[in-house]
Amino acid sequence: MSHWENPLVMPWDSRLERVAGPAGLVLFGLTGDLSKRKILPAIYDLAHRGLLPPSFTLIGVARPKKGIDDFTKMAEEAIRAGANTGIDERVLAQLMSGFRQVIGDYTSEETFAKLSEELARAETERGTGGNYAFYLAIPPKLFPHVLKELKAAGLDRHEDSGWRRVMIEKPFGHDLASSKELNDVVLDVFEPSEIFRIDHYLGKETVQNILALRFANELYEPLWNNAHIDHVEITMAEDIGVAGRGGYYDGVGAARDVIQNHLLQLLALTAMEEPTAFTPQALRMEKEKVLSATHFIGSVEESSVFAQYDAGWQGGDYVTSFRGEEGIADDSRTDTFAAFRLGINNRRWAGVPFYLRAGKRLGRRVTEIALTFRTPPFQFFSNEAMANVNANTLVIRIQPEEGVTFKFGSKVPGTQTMLRDVTMDFGYGHAFTEYTPEAYERLILDVLMGEEPLFPQQTELELSWALVDQATNYWEHTDREIPQYAPGSWGPQEAHDMLALDGRVWRRP
Ligand SMILES: NC(=O)c1ccc[n+]([C@@H]2O[C@H](COP(=O)([O-])OP(=O)(O)OC[C@H]3O[C@@H](n4cnc5c(N)ncnc54)[C@H](OP(=O)(O)O)[C@@H]3O)[C@@H](O)[C@H]2O)c1
């Protein structure tokens, strides 16, 4: 039963007026992991929520596969397996009627000639208006080939009014130099306003809520500075290992894979000044300012830790070490854990460390931003009364159990004056009945509508790469051994030692 028949099945979407106009999406990498798990289900969920136009056309580009001459079934299976909003057969049939496929290698001109015919056909048969977004969900080494061929086939432009946009998946390069090179290649084909770099963290409701929390309320912003905040921790922990993706991960590592993009974007949103408007230009300006003021405290040697998970017991299973994983060299120096100790050179944040850590095979899967406040300048209660009270902490929980928690001291009921930490909790699941869209739904819709605020710009990426490059260069060339940490722990001793320099300890999320 669909939400049209029973509104309780799916709560009304208050963004319903944000419906994409006539358009098509050309998906390179149709058969890939990301397309199957995220992109195809997100497209269906958008259609199911009535946010795609009836003319919407999905053109999947796939290289020939033995025994498959029709990828329709594969696309449909991926949708059935991954859709969040339940399968409505009529919506699915309608969406699949607009599915087209182009089979061919991405390095071959012929593939793009076929694609060109398919786009022209969809324009007349389906009424796409010549509006197409090209989604490059493919290995980065193929980006230049695909972009070059799109240009050579004249697909980057439409002679009439139709728009062309390109969506690029991370990683945007391997370091600062390659990021600039990639950007030159993309800019040779598309205008800056036509380029949408996907950092799916920015599509998450909880990440967008950082701006709402800070700038739509009066309570937080006056305290959001070094007069009241002691330090900030940003954690992105996974409890799994490289799980069959060792080939991709080796040579990349945690700092490049998630700190360069997701964690530094979270830092920018947490620390930036209030933008003058919710426009791409104003947001970009503030993020760039704060990222350009961000630096390792002291030296990169004392303020960064790279490490790898060792073999050991984790939750009842004996797991292999990173170096023991299939496809990983015995002497690999790739970081499965990285921690940074950063400072921000501006009036608001001088003296407040921002501790970032990301890793695999840690204690649990969690992403959060924790702001720990200073202790009161004068303590009115006795030390005994305060024995179970720590500094106030505001935790923005990005995933799972999305929400915000505020921890503060409160009197324990009874005849004695004793205090204890308690929490005030906001959880998305409890507070809202509205459906929470997946990040990819929001981002694909925004691309089809040409709305840029949630997409990072090249300068932000370059500033982030410049920072991450300092750590990767140091750890790739130092004689120091890469520290090892026990699976299921919160990282190596060196990461704890780094915080001990400031007399602090990491939170246990
Ligand atoms: N997977 C994730 O969770 C994730 C998350 C964030 C970002 N990303 C990024 O998204 C992109 C895709 O990742 P993925 O995990 O989906 O990769 P993947 O599973 O390896 O899929 C890559 C896709 O590219 C196709 N392909 C590779 N070489 C080709 C060639 N020469 N000609 C035509 N097609 C070719 C593959 O086709 P075949 O099936 O025929 O090999 C497949 O459809 C990457 O840039 C990745 O970094 C992925």
Side-chain angles (χ1 to χ4, degrees):
M1 189 183 288
S2 79
H3 57 296
W4 303 116
E5 287 150 334
N6 178 359
L8 291 177
V9 171
M10 183 163 328
W12 189 255
D13 189 312
S14 55
R15 296 187 305 127
L16 207 57
E17 71 278 10
R18 291 187 73 243
V19 178
L25 186 94
V26 180
L27 180 56
F28 289 92
L30 176 72
T31 57
D33 173 68
L34 187 68
S35 293
K36 288 200 246 180
R37 279 194 310 112
K38 295 287 181 188
I39 302 171
L40 290 164
I43 291 170
Y44 165 81
D45 288 327
L46 284 173
H48 192 190
R49 295 198 296 135
L51 302 179
L52 296 182
S55 62
F56 180 78
T57 306
L58 173 66
I59 297 145
V61 190
R63 63 176 161 183
K65 262 200 193 323
K66 231 180 171 175
I68 305 185
D69 48 15
D70 184 0
F71 287 92
T72 317
K73 199 158 179 297
M74 187 225 76
E76 194 184 321
E77 277 167 10
I79 290 172
R80 285 187 186 279
N84 279 321
T85 57
I87 295 293
D88 179 323
E89 295 297 339
R90 283 178 305 171
V91 173
L92 183 58
Q94 156 81 12
L95 179 67
M96 292 312 293
S97 72
F99 178 74
R100 305 283 184 270
Q101 60 183 355
V102 171
I103 303 179
D105 200 280
Y106 299 168
T107 51
S108 136
E109 263 178 47
E110 202 192 323
T111 308
F112 291 81
K114 281 197 274 182
L115 177 60
S116 182
E117 284 166 22
E118 203 54 69
L119 296 193
R121 199 171 312 133
E123 199 172 329
T124 48
E125 283 178 7
R126 308 254 327 147
T128 55
N131 301 320
Y132 291 109
F134 300 101
Y135 198 145
L136 308 190
I138 48 176
K141 66 174 189 302
L142 290 177
F143 292 169
H145 291 293
V146 171
L147 289 162
K148 192 176 96 235
E149 295 293 350
L150 283 174
K151 186 174 179 174
L155 295 175
D156 55 326
R157 295 277 157 258
H158 189 261
E159 60 274 18
D160 299 326
S161 57
W163 51 254
R164 299 289 152 106
R165 295 176 189 141
V166 67
M167 302 167 72
I168 302 180
E169 268 296 340
K170 69 158 206 183
F172 316 104
H174 189 71
D175 53 18
L176 178 58
S178 57
S179 171
K180 285 182 174 173
E181 268 169 40
L182 171 62
N183 193 45
D184 288 345
V185 172
V186 189
L187 278 179
D188 188 42
V189 184
F190 290 97
E191 298 294 325
S193 63
E194 297 170 331
I195 304 167
F196 293 77
R197 300 168 185 84
I198 308 285
D199 183 331
H200 74 273
Y201 258 60
L202 299 183
K204 286 182 183 288
E205 288 289 332
T206 39
V207 173
Q208 293 162 43
N209 197 38
I210 299 170
L211 297 185
L213 182 89
R214 291 189 56 193
F215 303 128
N217 299 296
E218 184 51 19
L219 179 63
Y220 304 106
E221 204 52 24
L223 307 179
W224 213 262
N225 55 52
N226 53 7
H228 301 284
I229 291 179
D230 182 75
H231 66 279
V232 180
E233 289 170 72
I234 304 180
T235 301
M236 181 179 172
E238 292 176 277
D239 53 7
I240 53 168
V242 293
R245 296 188 73 213
Y248 161 76
Y249 201 78
D250 199 19
V252 177
R256 288 189 172 102
D257 195 35
V258 295
I259 294 188
Q260 184 273 332
N261 36 63
H262 308 326
L263 266 67
L264 284 169
Q265 283 289 326
L266 292 182
L267 176 143
L269 292 171
T270 306
M272 72 184 192
E273 296 301 314
E274 185 170 24
T276 51
F278 190 65
T279 60
Q281 294 76 12
L283 276 162
R284 183 182 309 165
M285 199 187 300
E286 296 306 337
K287 285 200 275 174
E288 285 173 14
K289 262 166 59 189
V290 78
L291 286 169
S292 57
T294 305
H295 60 93
F296 285 96
I297 296 174
S299 67
V300 67
E301 182 176 352
E302 60 182 346
S303 286
S304 70
V305 174
F306 278 18
Q308 296 173 334
Y309 58 81
D310 208 344
W313 289 95
Q314 186 182 16
D317 293 323
Y318 190 81
V319 297
T320 181
S321 66
F322 175 65
R323 288 181 178 177
E325 299 269 12
E326 204 183 321
I328 308 295
D330 295 347
D331 59 353
S332 168
R333 293 186 66 85
T334 301
D335 49 311
T336 64
F337 173 96
F340 289 1
R341 176 173 165 254
L342 302 174
I344 298 177
N345 277 341
N346 62 25
R347 183 174 285 253
R348 188 194 279 260
W349 295 116
V352 179
F354 279 67
Y355 303 119
L356 273 52
R357 62 179 162 172
K360 293 190 179 287
R361 285 227 184 281
L362 297 180
R364 62 179 284 229
R365 174 178 167 263
V366 61
T367 303
E368 62 166 41
I369 303 163
L371 298 101
T372 300
F373 288 76
R374 291 185 182 282
T375 47
F378 167 71
Q379 191 47 265
F380 163 81
F381 294 101
S382 67
N383 288 347
E384 293 73 30
M386 293 294 287
N388 292 317
V389 178
N390 295 298
N392 296 156
T393 312
L394 184 74
V395 183
I396 302 172
R397 302 192 308 273
I398 308 294
Q399 68 181 19
E401 294 151 25
E402 292 81 354
V404 181
T405 297
F406 182 55
K407 189 179 76 173
F408 60 101
S410 183
K411 183 181 175 303
V412 181
T415 52
Q416 299 221 37
T417 300
M418 295 295 288
L419 284 86
R420 193 188 297 157
D421 279 337
V422 294
T423 55
M424 273 197 302
D425 262 315
F426 148 63
Y428 274 82
H430 308 133
F432 295 117
T433 52
E434 281 86 347
Y435 167 72
T436 302
E438 266 279 312
Y440 278 91
E441 286 176 58
R442 173 69 198 256
L443 296 178
I444 292 169
L445 183 63
D446 280 8
V447 172
L448 295 177
M449 301 188 72
E451 295 188 5
E452 298 169 70
L454 299 183
F455 299 88
Q457 299 300 311
Q458 180 64 18
T459 315
E460 294 165 48
L461 303 182
E462 290 184 10
L463 289 164
S464 304
W465 274 124
L467 207 60
V468 167
D469 276 4
Q470 291 178 50
T472 49
N473 285 338
Y474 169 74
W475 282 96
E476 276 164 12
H477 298 112
T478 174
D479 294 335
R480 276 167 76 179
E481 278 297 313
I482 296 276
Q484 306 287 309
Y485 58 95
S489 70
W490 284 100
Q493 185 55 41
E494 285 77 353
H496 299 292
D497 295 344
M498 185 173 82
L499 260 68
L501 291 175
D502 299 335
R504 298 196 178 92
V505 290
W506 289 101
R507 263 173 61 76
R508 276 181 172 265

